[in-house]
Amino acid sequence: MSDFLWGAATAAYQIEGAVDEDGRGESIWDRFCATPGKVRAGETGSIACDFYHRYPEDIALMRELGIDAFRFSVAWPRVIPEGRGAVNDAGLDFYDRLVDELLAAGIQPFPTLYHWDLPQRLEDEGGWTARSTAEAFVPYAEAVVGRLGDRVTHWTTHNEPWVVAWLGYGWGEHAPGRTSEQDAVDAAHHVLLSHGWAADVIRRDVPDARVGIVLNLEHVDPATGSEADAAAAREVDGRANRWFLDPIFRGAYPEDVDLKPPVRDGDLAAVGARIDFLGINNYFRFVVREGPEIVEVPGGTRTDMGWEVHPESLYKLLRRVADEYAPPSIYITENGAAYADVRSHDGGVHDLERIDFLATHTDAVMRARDDGVPVDGYFVWSFLDNFEWAQGYAKRFGIVYVDYPTLERVPKDSFHWYRQRIESLQRV
Ligand code: FCB
């Protein structure tokens, strides 16, 4: 079991704060948060958990937790404030210090190059709907890899292209807030394309690099045994899962999904080039009936996001991805749950529901591993309570509670549970 990585995950905009420091440029999330009505209660990531300043203290906590790896993302607008052109060394210095501090604590850095904070300047020029944004991603990747590649082996290009495309460009729920299906389709293709191009550059500059991409994937169940529901489930699966898995592992978009991506010659070869690992983020399953319509199963337990707790679906998802796409290695790069945590009178946070969630989900992952699925790590989302995008600070996913007025960190009971879980499995 010692080669299995236990980790915790975060993302730049959700934890760093310090949005105006050391030459950072504006991102689409700064702009989105400043737009009335977009984020709950008008909240923003401008302070967030202040990780930008408090990372040494947080890494000390990670060490206490005993994790092997820490997943974080690099903010493009810190590194190249205008999206393309001049590199801001002060921005890279932050990630340089972070990586050194992690390594000194014996924790493997597991960075993601893009977790949704596009430089606003690039959005002004078309954002991910423009092919030029995919082109700009390459020198950005080169700059980060050039600075950290001597110490970082595992590189993730993108986090959840489906969310970037559909929530950001299709449904307007995330930055940049556009609402056009064709924009979403174009954005998804350019994100995938930039993944392929960046993967090439990372391999060229870091010969022993392991390169991957993170997809949000969901197991899909038809609501009943009817043929109409089965067809509806297949349709949802096509758009949510196969639209991304197929080009990455088979170099082709699924033929049964009626969308028109802006593919040019050579694109699919770039997107479909070999990856070393697939990152899977998973939080729920879909239950689908004719329409297609997503239905809520009565009686299920739900988290504070309203997402059904269903660990068996994570097991099935892993089996399916391994059987149909055969990735050489899989990491669960995010899994976790929001609950309405409160600090109790004894000062602690007794998040028993989260412990149950994490226990049943890590069991599901281990069962898949025992059955031969090449899962090589599990990252809990999240290390800290943080800025949950359009939901602001209302949803707490951390195993460490953050008291936002003081920024004090309080390890929840789930933190202590996770520490023991890691310890006992490391001894196996
Ligand atoms: C995922 C995101 C992550 C976090 C969790 C709850 O979609 O990657 O940043 O918000 O959901």
Side-chain angles (χ1 to χ4, degrees), residues 11 14 115-116 159-160 163 281 283 307 334 381 388-389 397:
Q14 295 181 276
H115 200 129
W116 309 353
N159 181 71
E160 302 189 348
V163 173
N281 291 356
Y283 290 93
W307 297 342
E334 287 180 28
W381 183 273
E388 178 48 34
W389 309 111
F397 273 94

mmCIF file of all heavy atoms in Angstrom, residues 11 14 115-116 159-160 163 281 283 307 334 381 388-389 397, ligand 1:
data_model
loop_
_atom_site.group_PDB
_atom_site.id
_atom_site.type_symbol
_atom_site.label_atom_id
_atom_site.label_comp_id
_atom_site.label_asym_id
_atom_site.label_seq_id
_atom_site.Cartn_x
_atom_site.Cartn_y
_atom_site.Cartn_z
ATOM 1 N N ALA A 11 -7.632 24.651 -4.712
ATOM 2 C CA ALA A 11 -7.395 25.378 -5.964
ATOM 3 C C ALA A 11 -7.069 26.825 -5.635
ATOM 4 O O ALA A 11 -7.567 27.370 -4.638
ATOM 5 C CB ALA A 11 -8.640 25.329 -6.851
ATOM 6 N N GLN A 14 -9.677 29.558 -4.797
ATOM 7 C CA GLN A 14 -10.522 29.206 -3.651
ATOM 8 C C GLN A 14 -9.833 29.415 -2.305
ATOM 9 O O GLN A 14 -10.509 29.501 -1.284
ATOM 10 C CB GLN A 14 -10.981 27.755 -3.790
ATOM 11 C CG GLN A 14 -11.883 27.554 -4.998
ATOM 12 C CD GLN A 14 -12.376 26.130 -5.134
ATOM 13 O OE1 GLN A 14 -11.680 25.284 -5.679
ATOM 14 N NE2 GLN A 14 -13.566 25.842 -4.643
ATOM 15 N N HIS A 115 -7.121 25.756 -12.963
ATOM 16 C CA HIS A 115 -8.318 25.469 -12.178
ATOM 17 C C HIS A 115 -9.186 26.728 -12.207
ATOM 18 O O HIS A 115 -9.441 27.351 -11.182
ATOM 19 C CB HIS A 115 -7.944 25.027 -10.763
ATOM 20 C CG HIS A 115 -9.022 24.272 -10.020
ATOM 21 N ND1 HIS A 115 -8.794 23.060 -9.393
ATOM 22 C CD2 HIS A 115 -10.324 24.556 -9.804
ATOM 23 C CE1 HIS A 115 -9.923 22.643 -8.813
ATOM 24 N NE2 HIS A 115 -10.863 23.545 -9.051
ATOM 25 N N TRP A 116 -9.514 27.153 -13.444
ATOM 26 C CA TRP A 116 -10.608 28.067 -13.733
ATOM 27 C C TRP A 116 -10.342 29.572 -13.662
ATOM 28 O O TRP A 116 -11.230 30.357 -13.968
ATOM 29 C CB TRP A 116 -11.829 27.755 -12.858
ATOM 30 C CG TRP A 116 -12.242 26.320 -12.885
ATOM 31 C CD1 TRP A 116 -11.744 25.337 -13.686
ATOM 32 C CD2 TRP A 116 -13.256 25.698 -12.085
ATOM 33 N NE1 TRP A 116 -12.385 24.142 -13.430
ATOM 34 C CE2 TRP A 116 -13.316 24.337 -12.447
ATOM 35 C CE3 TRP A 116 -14.110 26.176 -11.101
ATOM 36 C CZ2 TRP A 116 -14.207 23.440 -11.852
ATOM 37 C CZ3 TRP A 116 -14.999 25.287 -10.513
ATOM 38 C CH2 TRP A 116 -15.045 23.931 -10.883
ATOM 39 N N ASN A 159 -8.347 21.158 -14.818
ATOM 40 C CA ASN A 159 -9.333 20.642 -13.889
ATOM 41 C C ASN A 159 -10.731 20.756 -14.490
ATOM 42 O O ASN A 159 -11.197 21.866 -14.768
ATOM 43 C CB ASN A 159 -9.299 21.443 -12.575
ATOM 44 C CG ASN A 159 -10.306 20.900 -11.569
ATOM 45 O OD1 ASN A 159 -10.117 19.809 -11.032
ATOM 46 N ND2 ASN A 159 -11.394 21.638 -11.329
ATOM 47 N N GLU A 160 -11.375 19.620 -14.714
ATOM 48 C CA GLU A 160 -12.793 19.557 -15.077
ATOM 49 C C GLU A 160 -13.183 20.410 -16.285
ATOM 50 O O GLU A 160 -13.945 21.383 -16.143
ATOM 51 C CB GLU A 160 -13.662 19.939 -13.869
ATOM 52 C CG GLU A 160 -13.449 19.068 -12.649
ATOM 53 C CD GLU A 160 -14.469 19.327 -11.535
ATOM 54 O OE1 GLU A 160 -15.195 20.328 -11.600
ATOM 55 O OE2 GLU A 160 -14.543 18.504 -10.603
ATOM 56 N N VAL A 163 -16.877 21.418 -16.567
ATOM 57 C CA VAL A 163 -17.349 22.543 -15.748
ATOM 58 C C VAL A 163 -16.913 23.865 -16.374
ATOM 59 O O VAL A 163 -17.700 24.817 -16.461
ATOM 60 C CB VAL A 163 -16.844 22.413 -14.289
ATOM 61 C CG1 VAL A 163 -17.203 23.666 -13.491
ATOM 62 C CG2 VAL A 163 -17.437 21.179 -13.628
ATOM 63 N N ASN A 281 -12.405 13.476 -10.588
ATOM 64 C CA ASN A 281 -13.124 14.141 -9.496
ATOM 65 C C ASN A 281 -14.532 13.566 -9.479
ATOM 66 O O ASN A 281 -15.178 13.504 -10.522
ATOM 67 C CB ASN A 281 -13.231 15.645 -9.731
ATOM 68 C CG ASN A 281 -11.892 16.348 -9.623
ATOM 69 O OD1 ASN A 281 -10.869 15.738 -9.295
ATOM 70 N ND2 ASN A 281 -11.893 17.649 -9.899
ATOM 71 N N TYR A 283 -18.272 13.394 -7.088
ATOM 72 C CA TYR A 283 -19.055 13.822 -5.932
ATOM 73 C C TYR A 283 -20.432 13.160 -5.854
ATOM 74 O O TYR A 283 -21.039 13.143 -4.798
ATOM 75 C CB TYR A 283 -19.251 15.340 -5.967
ATOM 76 C CG TYR A 283 -17.967 16.088 -5.707
ATOM 77 C CD1 TYR A 283 -17.151 16.503 -6.753
ATOM 78 C CD2 TYR A 283 -17.547 16.347 -4.405
ATOM 79 C CE1 TYR A 283 -15.962 17.174 -6.516
ATOM 80 C CE2 TYR A 283 -16.365 17.016 -4.160
ATOM 81 C CZ TYR A 283 -15.570 17.431 -5.213
ATOM 82 O OH TYR A 283 -14.393 18.085 -4.963
ATOM 83 N N TRP A 307 -26.259 16.998 -2.983
ATOM 84 C CA TRP A 307 -25.763 15.872 -3.779
ATOM 85 C C TRP A 307 -25.971 14.568 -3.007
ATOM 86 O O TRP A 307 -25.667 14.479 -1.812
ATOM 87 C CB TRP A 307 -24.273 16.060 -4.089
ATOM 88 C CG TRP A 307 -23.977 17.284 -4.928
ATOM 89 C CD1 TRP A 307 -24.870 17.984 -5.686
ATOM 90 C CD2 TRP A 307 -22.713 17.949 -5.071
ATOM 91 N NE1 TRP A 307 -24.226 19.036 -6.318
ATOM 92 C CE2 TRP A 307 -22.916 19.037 -5.959
ATOM 93 C CE3 TRP A 307 -21.422 17.737 -4.565
ATOM 94 C CZ2 TRP A 307 -21.877 19.907 -6.332
ATOM 95 C CZ3 TRP A 307 -20.396 18.592 -4.937
ATOM 96 C CH2 TRP A 307 -20.624 19.665 -5.807
ATOM 97 N N GLU A 334 -10.280 14.507 -6.560
ATOM 98 C CA GLU A 334 -11.210 15.182 -5.642
ATOM 99 C C GLU A 334 -12.340 14.235 -5.292
ATOM 100 O O GLU A 334 -12.903 13.586 -6.170
ATOM 101 C CB GLU A 334 -11.863 16.428 -6.277
ATOM 102 C CG GLU A 334 -10.949 17.616 -6.432
ATOM 103 C CD GLU A 334 -11.656 18.818 -7.056
ATOM 104 O OE1 GLU A 334 -12.888 18.947 -6.898
ATOM 105 O OE2 GLU A 334 -10.968 19.616 -7.707
ATOM 106 N N TRP A 381 -11.268 16.373 -1.114
ATOM 107 C CA TRP A 381 -11.646 17.775 -1.306
ATOM 108 C C TRP A 381 -12.477 18.148 -0.098
ATOM 109 O O TRP A 381 -13.549 17.592 0.075
ATOM 110 C CB TRP A 381 -12.463 17.993 -2.592
ATOM 111 C CG TRP A 381 -12.738 19.470 -2.729
ATOM 112 C CD1 TRP A 381 -13.788 20.159 -2.188
ATOM 113 C CD2 TRP A 381 -11.912 20.421 -3.401
ATOM 114 N NE1 TRP A 381 -13.660 21.493 -2.479
ATOM 115 C CE2 TRP A 381 -12.516 21.679 -3.220
ATOM 116 C CE3 TRP A 381 -10.703 20.334 -4.120
ATOM 117 C CZ2 TRP A 381 -11.963 22.854 -3.737
ATOM 118 C CZ3 TRP A 381 -10.164 21.499 -4.639
ATOM 119 C CH2 TRP A 381 -10.798 22.737 -4.446
ATOM 120 N N GLU A 388 -16.342 28.490 -2.300
ATOM 121 C CA GLU A 388 -16.966 27.480 -3.166
ATOM 122 C C GLU A 388 -17.668 28.151 -4.359
ATOM 123 O O GLU A 388 -18.882 28.084 -4.516
ATOM 124 C CB GLU A 388 -17.892 26.579 -2.330
ATOM 125 C CG GLU A 388 -18.654 25.507 -3.084
ATOM 126 C CD GLU A 388 -17.846 24.660 -4.061
ATOM 127 O OE1 GLU A 388 -16.660 24.394 -3.799
ATOM 128 O OE2 GLU A 388 -18.407 24.288 -5.105
ATOM 129 N N TRP A 389 -16.890 28.847 -5.169
ATOM 130 C CA TRP A 389 -17.357 29.415 -6.440
ATOM 131 C C TRP A 389 -18.670 30.209 -6.260
ATOM 132 O O TRP A 389 -18.736 31.050 -5.380
ATOM 133 C CB TRP A 389 -17.446 28.310 -7.508
ATOM 134 C CG TRP A 389 -16.166 27.519 -7.589
ATOM 135 C CD1 TRP A 389 -15.968 26.208 -7.219
ATOM 136 C CD2 TRP A 389 -14.868 27.986 -8.027
ATOM 137 N NE1 TRP A 389 -14.653 25.850 -7.415
ATOM 138 C CE2 TRP A 389 -13.961 26.904 -7.905
ATOM 139 C CE3 TRP A 389 -14.368 29.206 -8.520
ATOM 140 C CZ2 TRP A 389 -12.605 27.004 -8.242
ATOM 141 C CZ3 TRP A 389 -13.024 29.310 -8.861
ATOM 142 C CH2 TRP A 389 -12.168 28.226 -8.725
ATOM 143 N N PHE A 397 -16.377 22.408 2.700
ATOM 144 C CA PHE A 397 -15.903 21.087 2.253
ATOM 145 C C PHE A 397 -14.646 20.638 3.007
ATOM 146 O O PHE A 397 -14.147 19.544 2.771
ATOM 147 C CB PHE A 397 -15.535 21.147 0.769
ATOM 148 C CG PHE A 397 -16.669 20.906 -0.194
ATOM 149 C CD1 PHE A 397 -17.388 21.971 -0.732
ATOM 150 C CD2 PHE A 397 -16.997 19.623 -0.590
ATOM 151 C CE1 PHE A 397 -18.408 21.750 -1.651
ATOM 152 C CE2 PHE A 397 -18.019 19.390 -1.500
ATOM 153 C CZ PHE A 397 -18.728 20.453 -2.029
HETATM 154 C C1 FCB B 1 -15.290 20.655 -8.105
HETATM 155 C C2 FCB B 1 -14.201 21.687 -8.227
HETATM 156 C C3 FCB B 1 -13.644 22.151 -6.913
HETATM 157 C C4 FCB B 1 -14.697 22.264 -5.836
HETATM 158 C C5 FCB B 1 -15.558 21.026 -5.793
HETATM 159 C C6 FCB B 1 -16.614 21.048 -4.727
HETATM 160 O O1 FCB B 1 -16.111 20.706 -9.238
HETATM 161 O O2 FCB B 1 -13.139 21.195 -9.012
HETATM 162 O O3 FCB B 1 -12.953 23.351 -7.137
HETATM 163 O O4 FCB B 1 -15.420 23.416 -5.992
HETATM 164 O O5 FCB B 1 -16.160 20.812 -7.030
#
